[in-house]
Amino acid sequence: MTTRLVQINMKAHDDAALGRFWAEALGWGIDSEGPGVTNLEPVGFSYPDPAAVCIDIIARPEPKTVKNRVHVDLATTSAAHQAELVARLQGLGATLADVGQGDVPWTVMADPEGNEFCVLEPREVYGDTGPIAAVVVDCADPREMARFWGRATDWTVHEVTDTQATLRSAKGVGPYLEFIRSSDPKSGWNRVHIDVAPYKGDDLEAEAARLRGLGALDPTDAGFDQSAIHWKVLTDPEGSEFCLLTPR
């Protein structure tokens, strides 16, 4: 029994408008499973598949007040492509952002609702990931995150240092999952988080128990009735929320 990363969950004031931005940015298709929910995935994609990590955008009224602890890095193939992509995203409503990055070769941007993301300079390692090079998570201890997520999922740990840990699907496709050391403290619920799911035929309760045995916790300030939803909200050992979806 195991699980794997299947999507990113973003909160938004206007899920449909933000969905249109990201669909245009990534060249993906757009759908909705119900009011206040916008679903994004590559055109012709058969969900779930490690070839892509999809995006669900959920309408919520709370304001964004701090830098997100989860963001995406976008891949480019050349310096010209990077410049063209930055210009195109600005035309769609993105803005340049300063998160204290200093003089770096990548471009930090924010989507129309202020969610940070990066447009990377060309890097050979991301040549086959698709438009999303990596899903990046701020953390205090990348080594601990590699330990937890390397056991929690069937993804392969590729690199572990004191400053960064990198995982990718064992099939060698799709984006990377990267944990970057950050001194910024976690503040409030994450407006962007990752969703993982067991495989079809597995048991949700048993998988939740397995993850708790690895160090996952139940949130102490959920603010909602967990019995009213059909998935599990958990936190990693550092307190960052993630959702364990139903088997699929």
Side-chain angles (χ1 to χ4, degrees), residues 25-196:
L26 301 172
W28 285 7
I30 189 167
D31 201 355
S32 176
E33 62 190 71
V37 181
T38 297
N39 312 107
L40 306 176
E41 62 182 41
V43 176
F45 183 73
S46 181
Y47 173 87
D49 187 298
V53 173
C54 300
I55 299 176
D56 275 8
I57 303 176
I58 311 298
R60 291 290 302 179
E62 300 87 0
K64 181 180 184 295
T65 58
V66 297
K67 175 181 174 290
N68 292 330
R69 294 184 69 80
V70 179
H71 72 267
V72 297
D73 284 351
L74 303 186
T76 64
T77 57
S78 67
H81 180 208
Q82 183 184 14
E84 291 166 1
L85 181 56
V86 168
R88 185 170 69 84
L89 293 170
Q90 287 178 302
L92 293 172
T95 56
L96 300 179
D98 185 350
V99 295
Q101 69 269 21
D103 184 15
V104 294
W106 59 89
T107 303
V108 182
M109 307 190 76
D111 69 22
E113 291 217 5
N115 298 303
E116 303 85 3
F117 66 95
C118 296
V119 180
L120 301 180
E121 77 284 3
R123 299 185 194 180
E124 185 177 354
V125 67
Y126 300 133
D128 62 350
T129 61
I132 297 179
V135 177
V136 183
V137 183
D138 289 353
C139 67
D141 186 348
R143 291 187 182 277
E144 171 61 13
M145 291 299 96
R147 181 206 65 80
F148 174 75
W149 287 106
R151 297 176 183 177
T153 70
D154 60 359
W155 282 33
T156 301
V157 177
H158 283 257
E159 175 188 13
V160 181
T161 70
D162 289 339
T163 58
Q164 178 173 331
T166 301
L167 293 81
R168 196 185 192 191
S169 166
K171 295 184 178 180
V173 297
Y176 289 80
L177 176 61
E178 298 179 353
F179 296 91
I180 305 297
R181 186 173 183 175
S182 172
S183 60
D184 295 335
K186 182 178 183 294
S187 176
W189 275 70
N190 293 335
R191 286 183 65 80
V192 182
H193 67 256
I194 62 176
D195 287 348
V196 299

Side-chain angles (χ1 to χ4, degrees), residues 1-7 47-50 149 151-155 194-212 230-234 242-248:
M1 182 179 296
T2 189
T3 190
R4 76 285 199 206
L5 177 61
V6 293
Q7 63 199 36
Y47 173 87
D49 187 298
W149 287 106
R151 297 176 183 177
T153 70
D154 60 359
W155 282 33
I194 62 176
D195 287 348
V196 299
Y199 286 85
K200 187 177 294 185
D202 285 347
D203 182 84
L204 178 65
E205 295 291 345
E207 181 62 6
R210 187 183 74 88
L211 294 177
R212 292 187 188 101
H230 56 270
W231 62 92
K232 299 292 183 182
V233 180
L234 299 169
F242 69 94
C243 287
L244 175 65
L245 305 181
T246 53
R248 56 197 64 195

